[in-house]
């Protein structure tokens, strides 16, 4: 029987669990040790540690303390791992916690986190998704049901001291270009809500003062939010410290490319069954700076898409130069506008693009002055025909159901 090396109790505060942490720092002690070749299970909290509830009130999303995230299970020490190695992590299986067979998607208030389309959706809203085995549906977004593409939003190894210092330096330099921006350009270390695993006393306080926040993806992987890093994938992580220090969390039942809603995909508490191996000296042998991975042999087969194009011209008609971020925004807004013709609210459309197995593609980056991005909406997730036709759209929804909203106080 496979050992569950880290257990989480959803009735216990994540901060009381010493095998959980919410900052990156090389001095965080290993929560447990394994050997190369071992397979084992780690349970995880949802990324907020249970702050978002299964109800019809979005005030929890509005009021969430984002300095507390992400709650990660680990670090797992791998015996024999040394800086310069590659740690192979095979995701043998991933599932939801049996006592939490639901997940949440939401978008933050512009004043507390924001999101990709925060200028269009400035208030906190959320949708709740129920799991039926491998499928999910939401009482807040009728008319869709789809198979999960379960994956960890966040997985990576501990940085070494030099790498951590580099992260803090370069991110602070960015913040300094506009320190009062709302939402902020990046998040600097913040000691008071740092949870450093087993660390206690002065050592804890010292590490907490410089521990990197977990929001961005970095060289070690981290919060990459890649929906295709699903169960069955095999990932090759650079190792920076003795023992590697692998941590995982922020599990998603499903997500659209870009995780555009930011709070987040379909967020869940769950477990990951994984196996680890080492390639000694693998970073130099293969020229690896950032992780690489092999995708899963099992993915939901959605082959029919309606594809929305976006170009780098903003809402005011201003031309931007090859701006892929703006082009993807416009593709998303075009898809949301289309969905409203079938009776969805704009908020339902936005939430769906963050939750469903939507693909995002960078389609063109050389045709000056416009970048072209595309948003691929799988049409088979809808319980009605979403395709354009000569007879025009039929309203499937009457507007009586919408996402809960919580305005700023
Ligand atoms: Zn997430």
């Amino acid at each position: 029987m496979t050992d569950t090396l880290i257990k989480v109790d959803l009735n216990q505060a994540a901060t009381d669990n010493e095998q959980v942490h919410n900052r990156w720092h090389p001095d965080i002690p290993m929560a447990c040790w394994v050997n190369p070749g071992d397979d084992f299970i780690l349970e995880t909290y949802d990324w907020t540690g249970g702050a978002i509830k299964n109800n019809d009130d979005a005030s929890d999303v509005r009021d969430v303390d984002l300095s507390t995230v992400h709650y990660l299970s680990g670090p797992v020490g791998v015996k024999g791992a040394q800086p310069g190695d590659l740690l192979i992590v095979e995701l043998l299986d991933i599932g939801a916690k049996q006592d939490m067979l639901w997940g949440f998607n939401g978008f933050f208030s512009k004043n507390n986190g924001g999101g990709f389309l925060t200028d269009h959706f400035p208030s906190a809203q959320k949708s709740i998704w129920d799991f039926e085995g491998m499928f999910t549906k939401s009482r807040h977004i009728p008319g869709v049901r789809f198979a999960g593409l379960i994956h960890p939003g966040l997985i990576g190894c501990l940085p070494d001291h030099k790498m951590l210092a580099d992260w803090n330096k370069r991110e602070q330099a960015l913040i300094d270009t506009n320190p009062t921006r709302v939402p902020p350009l990046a998040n600097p270390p913040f000691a008071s809500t740092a949870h450093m695993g087993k660390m206690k006393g002065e050592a804890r306080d010292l590490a907490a003062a410089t521990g990197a926040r977990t929001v961005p993806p970095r060289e070690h992987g981290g919060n990459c939010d890649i929906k295709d890093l699903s169960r069955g994938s095999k990932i090759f992580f650079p190792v920076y410290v003795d023992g590697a220090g692998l941590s995982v969390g922020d599990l998603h039942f499903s997500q659209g490319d870009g995780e555009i809603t930011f709070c987040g995909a379909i967020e869940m508490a769950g477990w990951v069954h994984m196996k680890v191996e080492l390639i000694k000296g693998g970073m130099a042998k293969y020229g690896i700076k950032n992780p690489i991975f092999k995708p899963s042999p099992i993915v939901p087969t959605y082959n029919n898409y309606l594809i929305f194009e976006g170009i780098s011209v903003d809402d005011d008609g201003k031309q931007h130069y090859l701006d892929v971020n703006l082009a993807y925004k416009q593709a998303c807004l075009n898809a949301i506008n289309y969905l409203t013709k079938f009776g969805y609210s704009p908020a339902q459309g936005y939430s769906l693009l963050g939750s469903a197995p939507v693909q995002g593609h960078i389609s063109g980056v050389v045709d000056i002055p416009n970048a072209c991005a595309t948003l691929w909406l799988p049409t088979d997730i809808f319980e009605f025909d979403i395709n354009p036709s000569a007879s025009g759209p039929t309203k499937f929804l009457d507007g009586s159901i919408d996402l809960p909203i919580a305005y700023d106080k």
Side-chain angles (χ1 to χ4, degrees), residues 262-282:
F262 192 24
C263 176
I266 297 177
E267 303 293 330
M268 68 177 200
W271 51 268
V272 184
H273 182 187
M274 59 174 80
K275 180 176 180 175
V276 294
E277 305 268 8
L278 287 174
I279 299 178
K280 298 301 291 178

Side-chain angles (χ1 to χ4, degrees), residues 11 13 32 64 320 353 364 368 374 382 407:
N11 297 311
C32 53
V64 70
H320 294 250
L353 299 188
I368 55 169
T374 46
F382 295 92
Y407 297 101

Side-chain angles (χ1 to χ4, degrees), residues 245-269:
L246 177 74
S247 295
V248 63
D250 185 23
L251 301 188
H252 298 158
F253 192 84
S254 176
Q255 182 205 292
D257 280 340
E259 205 196 23
I260 61 172
T261 36
F262 192 24
C263 176
I266 297 177
E267 303 293 330
M268 68 177 200

Side-chain angles (χ1 to χ4, degrees), residues 61-268:
V61 173
R62 177 192 62 197
D63 300 335
V64 70
D65 180 355
L66 283 172
S67 76
T68 64
V69 301
H70 300 68
Y71 288 107
L72 307 177
S73 295
V76 176
V78 180
K79 288 176 191 162
Q82 293 174 300
D85 294 347
L86 284 178
L87 178 68
I88 308 174
V89 179
E90 192 168 13
L91 302 176
L92 300 176
D93 203 359
I94 308 173
K97 286 271 287 176
Q98 278 304 306
D99 51 344
M100 188 178 158
L101 293 177
W102 61 274
F104 62 88
N105 171 268
F107 17 109
F108 296 117
S109 157
K110 188 175 180 179
N111 294 313
N112 184 28
F116 191 57
L117 302 178
T118 196
D119 291 330
H120 294 263
F121 299 90
S123 298
Q125 294 192 258
K126 77 177 181 189
S127 57
I128 300 296
W129 296 79
D130 291 308
F131 306 151
E132 299 176 330
M134 60 182 279
F135 296 97
T136 188
K137 61 181 185 170
S138 171
R139 64 180 179 270
H140 297 123
I141 308 179
V144 289
R145 182 176 188 263
F146 47 85
L149 182 55
I150 300 183
H151 58 276
L154 203 163
I155 183 167
C157 296
L158 292 179
D160 61 21
H161 283 276
K162 160 101 178 42
M163 174 167 275
L164 175 64
D166 288 347
W167 292 352
N168 285 335
K169 189 173 167 207
R170 74 191 183 194
E171 289 173 26
Q172 189 59 51
L174 176 66
I175 294 167
D176 290 345
T177 63
N178 188 355
T180 56
R181 187 180 187 271
V182 178
L185 289 168
N187 300 293
F190 186 72
S192 66
T193 52
H195 177 38
M196 309 300 283
K198 293 178 188 175
M199 287 185 110
K200 295 267 185 307
E202 198 183 345
R204 179 261 168 215
D205 294 347
L206 274 173
T210 56
R213 303 283 288 279
T214 56
V215 173
R218 299 188 181 94
E219 290 85 341
H220 67 148
N223 195 24
C224 290
D225 290 314
I226 303 167
K227 76 178 193 321
D228 305 288
L229 199 73
S230 59
R231 54 183 162 171
S233 297
K234 189 187 265 195
I235 319 160
F236 302 78
F237 286 107
V239 172
Y240 309 104
V241 300
D242 286 335
L246 177 74
S247 295
V248 63
D250 185 23
L251 301 188
H252 298 158
F253 192 84
S254 176
Q255 182 205 292
D257 280 340
E259 205 196 23
I260 61 172
T261 36
F262 192 24
C263 176
I266 297 177
E267 303 293 330
M268 68 177 200

